[in-house]
Amino acid sequence: MEYQVDYELEELVPIVAKLAEKYTGIDSSSITYEKANQLMEAVIYCIHENDMDMIQDEDLSNLEDKTETNNVDEADLKRSAYKANREIRQLERSNAEEAYKTGKNLVKQKVKRALELYHELLPEFDSYGNYYLDQTIKKGMPEFFKWYDVDFEPQNTLLTLDYPVLRELCNLEGIDRIYEYLRCIQLEQRFLGKMKREFVIQCLVKYNSSYKNMVDNLCPAVLMALEERKMQGIVTGQVLTSYETYYEGDEEMIRYLMPAVKEIIIRNSQFVVKGDIS
Amino acid sequence: MDKNWMELLRQKNQIQIIKQTNEYSEKYGLTLTEQDAKVLVTERKGSLQTQKRVEFGQGVLPKLIYAFCDSAYITQENYVDMLTQLQELFYLFKNEMMDEITDDELICFMKEQFETICYGDLEYLGGTCLDIFAQAIRAGYRDYRDSEGEGAYHTLDEVPRWDYELYQEALRDLF
């Protein structure tokens, strides 16, 4: 996908030219189309980062309040806010080079924040034996931080992120995507970590006996088991711990897990209806 | 994104820059007229498009002129034609060598082979010397870096250039 910015090509080209000179040093006076495109995308990515930063948190929360459903990705919210602010910013925007420099610094700061997040996550991290989660976090992430190129290719995510998170991230690239991905993993770890490890494993085995090699998210398996328990509790009148208590007060986690929970509830209700008919 | 933006990267004052090289090349009896410079700029644009490359700054042509203008194989008559072909070869082999080689290294290599192996034959330069060199670079050959391209070809050359024994024998036969 390609980000868009409100600058004319004539304003961006001199920045690309400077970047190209920096890229080749004094060694080369020409580059391939492919490389030139890559550098243009790098410039656009940084400017876009600057544009996104101009959207205040306050605006975001206002938008969130107005949103009818909770099932809206944060990225979608940001995009909406971005579009809404476009016209205003066209009137009072900085020049392209300034926007690029500021954006690049923001990218660097985000890399730093992502690294901090990763270090925070790592000590308690548990893949529960799932190969893809384990590989992505323990092997993929260090490689990302090692090779990520802020100067010449910040738009490259580098990793395939094989373990899927519950939030749609395909509209993000580079560090934006990695940062959001790590935040999702952090939320998942927080959710799963509130339960006994044995219980989580038991849920996963029940969901898929070869869960260690499954390319699915782990949370729905646990949520399904919890939902099942909840239903049994209602039917038999037994007092069971409601799974809501696991993320009580954690708004961010609720927002993250809610789409999966809703899906499970819908699936279960269909099952009940079918059962009644038969 | 539209490829046209790459047009904007290209320098506008190329003709002037090319004409400035006359100050140096005229001592070797080589000069370029305004018309010649226009031809070279047009050819350059075509070569860059063919090779899917974009050039910025002063470009490589002035460097090629400064490197080759002292050659005995270039005359005023073939000057423009030679430069056109040299820049074509340059962009082609920049790609063939996957940008592993710097401008200066490639020019140094081209000039050396042009003078000592090809004796001014650009077809041999492109079809044999540069081709072999590009294959070696793609295969990981990097020894040329220490000498910046100088003397790199003799280790890769497949043709025996000078047989001392044969020379002595021919000499003995003569006298």
Side-chain angles (χ1 to χ4, degrees):
Chain A
M1 93 159 248
E2 206 172 76
Y3 288 147
Q4 286 188 342
V5 288
D6 290 325
Y7 290 95
E8 297 298 325
L9 275 177
E10 284 78 1
E11 294 176 87
L12 302 179
V13 165
I15 309 171
V16 177
K18 275 188 195 170
L19 195 59
E21 279 173 22
K22 194 179 166 193
Y23 176 77
T24 59
I26 50 163
D27 291 344
S28 188
S29 56
S30 62
I31 50 174
T32 58
Y33 280 1
E34 197 186 3
K35 189 57 76 180
N37 263 327
Q38 178 197 308
L39 297 180
M40 176 59 95
E41 279 170 20
V43 170
I44 290 173
Y45 184 87
C46 290
I47 292 177
H48 182 263
E49 199 69 23
N50 176 59
D51 286 354
M52 293 299 282
D53 188 64
M54 286 170 76
I55 300 160
Q56 299 299 311
D57 290 342
E58 200 183 319
D59 296 336
L60 270 175
S61 56
N62 285 344
L63 266 173
E64 253 171 87
D65 292 342
K66 287 172 193 167
T67 311
E68 285 175 6
T69 168
N70 284 330
N71 191 15
V72 176
D73 290 342
E74 200 174 317
D76 284 341
L77 278 167
K78 281 184 181 172
R79 254 204 327 277
S80 314
Y82 170 69
K83 279 177 190 166
N85 277 284
R86 261 180 127 171
E87 283 178 22
I88 304 165
R89 280 185 288 107
Q90 270 203 315
L91 296 168
E92 49 185 48
R93 65 187 182 152
S94 51
N95 72 48
E97 183 142 18
E98 274 174 38
Y100 167 68
K101 281 181 185 168
T102 315
K104 194 170 141 186
N105 279 333
L106 289 166
V107 172
K108 282 182 187 169
Q109 284 168 23
K110 198 173 244 184
V111 174
K112 208 177 154 196
R113 286 208 309 277
L115 191 60
E116 283 166 5
L117 184 60
Y118 179 63
H119 285 148
E120 234 173 71
L121 179 78
L122 218 47
E124 302 288 321
F125 175 76
D126 192 345
S127 66
Y128 300 93
N130 182 270
Y131 175 80
Y132 294 100
L133 176 58
D134 196 73
Q135 290 287 306
T136 307
I137 298 299
K138 287 187 181 164
K139 292 217 169 137
M141 285 300 161
E143 289 300 308
F144 172 82
F145 289 112
K146 187 175 171 189
W147 297 110
Y148 184 64
D149 189 346
V150 179
D151 291 320
F152 304 116
E153 208 175 13
Q155 69 278 20
N156 193 343
T157 309
L158 297 172
L159 303 181
T160 51
L161 302 174
D162 292 339
Y163 173 78
V165 289
L166 295 175
R167 192 173 283 165
E168 191 57 73
L169 301 178
C170 63
N171 53 342
L172 298 173
E173 290 176 347
I175 188 64
D176 287 342
R177 191 167 184 174
I178 294 294
Y179 184 72
E180 287 303 320
Y181 186 85
L182 284 171
R183 283 183 60 194
C184 293
I185 296 292
Q186 192 184 39
L187 289 170
E188 288 187 13
Q189 290 289 305
R190 208 151 73 200
F191 169 64
L192 298 171
K194 287 188 179 186
M195 284 161 272
K196 281 186 177 170
R197 193 173 194 276
E198 294 72 34
F199 174 71
V200 175
I201 302 275
Q202 191 190 319
C203 295
L204 291 168
V205 172
K206 193 180 171 193
Y207 180 79
N208 184 342
S209 55
S210 52
Y211 81 92
K212 286 185 178 179
N213 290 313
M214 83 179 175
V215 200
D216 287 348
N217 188 280
L218 301 185
C219 294
V222 179
L223 286 168
M224 269 166 75
L226 291 171
E227 188 62 27
E228 213 172 276
R229 275 187 165 197
K230 194 180 163 192
M231 281 175 78
Q232 283 167 358
I234 293 162
V235 174
T236 59
Q238 289 168 353
V239 183
L240 289 173
T241 314
S242 163
Y243 67 87
E244 275 96 342
T245 56
Y246 286 113
Y247 47 72
E248 200 174 11
D250 195 337
E251 289 296 323
E252 203 184 1
M253 194 193 287
I254 292 170
R255 269 208 310 277
Y256 180 70
L257 293 174
M258 205 40 77
V261 174
K262 279 183 180 171
E263 211 173 285
I264 291 164
I265 292 171
I266 291 167
R267 207 182 303 153
N268 284 350
S269 64
Q270 282 168 348
F271 176 73
V272 169
V273 170
K274 275 183 189 169
D276 286 344
I277 293 166
S278 62
Chain B
M1 185 178 286
D2 198 336
K3 288 277 188 297
N4 289 339
W5 70 266
M6 292 187 193
E7 284 292 319
L8 297 167
L9 261 179
R10 291 172 191 146
Q11 280 272 330
K12 301 288 178 209
N13 55 347
Q14 272 295 310
I15 291 171
Q16 205 48 43
I17 292 167
I18 292 168
K19 278 180 70 185
Q20 278 170 6
T21 62
N22 284 339
E23 287 172 25
Y24 179 77
S25 64
E26 66 187 359
K27 64 180 171 187
Y28 301 103
L30 302 171
T31 50
L32 294 165
T33 62
E34 178 94 11
Q35 187 55 35
D36 293 336
K38 280 181 184 168
V39 169
L40 287 169
V41 168
T42 311
E43 292 293 337
R44 166 183 173 263
K45 193 180 165 188
S47 296
L48 284 167
Q49 276 172 353
T50 309
Q51 298 307 325
K52 294 192 184 337
R53 294 185 72 83
V54 60
E55 198 168 55
F56 43 88
Q58 286 206 345
V60 79
L61 196 54
K63 278 188 179 180
L64 283 171
I65 292 171
Y66 291 126
F68 281 83
C69 68
D70 64 349
S71 172
Y73 304 104
I74 297 179
T75 62
Q76 183 61 45
E77 286 70 41
N78 66 11
Y79 190 32
V80 176
D81 189 43
M82 281 287 197
L83 287 176
T84 303
Q85 291 185 59
L86 281 167
Q87 70 176 350
E88 249 179 57
L89 284 175
F90 178 86
Y91 296 129
L92 168 67
F93 282 96
K94 198 79 179 165
N95 277 351
E96 291 291 311
M97 294 172 193
M98 300 187 305
D99 284 290
E100 285 291 339
I101 191 163
T102 69
D103 286 2
D104 290 344
E105 285 164 349
L106 182 53
I107 291 171
C108 176
F109 179 86
M110 284 168 75
K111 176 70 193 311
E112 191 183 50
Q113 304 339 303
F114 183 77
E115 297 292 335
T116 60
I117 306 276
C118 310
Y119 301 106
D121 183 350
L122 287 174
E123 223 167 279
Y124 193 76
L125 178 66
T128 305
C129 303
L130 282 166
D131 191 45
I132 289 171
F133 192 45
Q135 283 179 43
I137 285 179
R138 286 199 300 271
Y141 172 73
R142 298 288 180 269
D143 290 355
Y144 64 89
R145 281 183 176 163
D146 298 334
S147 60
E148 293 182 341
E150 214 177 316
Y153 189 64
H154 73 273
T155 53
L156 307 166
D157 196 2
E158 293 159 351
V159 182
R161 298 285 164 192
W162 182 257
D163 190 329
Y164 185 74
E165 290 301 319
L166 189 68
Y167 171 72
Q168 288 293 324
E169 200 182 308
L171 217 56
R172 274 196 296 273
D173 288 348
L174 276 172
F175 305 103

